[in-house]
Amino acid sequence: MDSPANRVCVVQQKGGVGKTTVAINTAAALNAAGQDTLLVDLDPQGNATEDVGMPEAYEDEPPTLFDCLTDAEQRDAVTDIIREHEEMDVLPSNIDMTAVEPELTLSRRSGEQLNLLLEYVEDDYDYIIVDCPPQLGNLTDNALFACRHVLIPALAESTSKRAFELLYDHIGALETDYEISIEEVGVAINRIDVRKKQAQEMVDWIEDAYPDTPVWRIRERADIQKSLEAGESLLAYNPESDMCDVFEAIATDVAAHFDEAEVWGDV
Ligand SMILES: Nc1ncnc2c1ncn2[C@@H]1O[C@H](COP(=O)(O)OP(=O)(O)OP(=O)(O)O)[C@@H](O)[C@H]1O
Ligand SMILES: [Mg+2]
């Protein structure tokens, strides 16, 4: 690769809205389109690590992602920690990550550690997709600072509006603190049940609030959950699923956002 990887973090402080699902499937769709992609599991829960079928990585002995994030001298160990999945490379989380938030708070440049870490590997990839934990804490701030581009999943419920407001307030504060700018790549409304009216209301609200941002609609599908239980993306598990098109659209729009749409001719 001749240029550093484009980076996107999947962020939403609400739990269980589909961050991990969107991160894995977007990474897989990018990879399927010929883009070398690294999935980073920044969540101490390790769901992405488990959902790509690497539960043993979560139990690995040090050095782990924890050491790379909290000890500058161990940062270069990141290249040994990355594992290969058939659909993408993975920087797995680890049980040690449950202690990372307070540890990061103590460190100098606490919000910049992921950025410094990714500098070691970014030349090997076209895209880096970061799955965030469900809190607006230090880890999510590290992801926002390192990626500067956000993809936001949300459920089609009225409480999601409040979640958006809190998230945008948080991003705005971070932009001011660090003097950076953070762009929305798009919003994925997830687990849509077309029988419920709320879903369309939510989509309308998002499209009104963010007219220039792509809004994708992901339906409730048992195969999405089953694919993750099988340790792979929906695209690998059931290429016939109607939702594969949505994940491919997300990947296409991500690429377009970075102005590389011309490499997407065959998607
Ligand atoms: N569209 C969908 N259809 C069916 N199941 C889904 C869909 N999206 C997500 N799921 C399932 O919902 C659960 C929560 O999804 P996911 O883990 O992606 O959310 P999350 O936002 O990452 O959660 P957390 O906040 O805990 O990190 C998972 O079991 C996942 O398989
Ligand atoms: Mg998750």
Side-chain angles (χ1 to χ4, degrees), residues 57-93:
Y58 187 69
E59 311 274 336
D60 260 355
E61 295 297 315
T64 70
L65 181 54
F66 172 89
D67 305 289
C68 297
L69 284 170
T70 57
D71 179 359
E73 289 183 7
Q74 295 194 62
R75 230 174 250 151
D76 59 352
V78 64
T79 50
D80 300 327
I81 295 169
I82 290 175
R83 296 188 176 213
E84 283 182 26
H85 181 275
E86 252 177 49
E87 298 179 83
M88 67 200 81
D89 280 3
V90 180
L91 176 53
S93 185

Side-chain angles (χ1 to χ4, degrees), residues 14-21 43 45 47 134 190-191 218-221 224-225 228:
K14 260 183 103 165
V17 299
K19 290 179 287 297
T20 301
T21 304
D43 184 353
Q45 298 180 104
N47 293 340
N190 189 24
R191 308 196 77 154
I218 308 170
R219 300 248 183 113
E220 176 76 27
R221 290 284 181 267
I224 291 184
Q225 187 147 2
L228 299 175

Side-chain angles (χ1 to χ4, degrees), residues 5 10 35 44 51 125 155 169 189 216 235 261:
V10 184
Q35 306 294 308
D51 288 345
Y125 299 100
L155 298 182
D169 284 353
I189 313 279
W216 309 286
L235 287 79

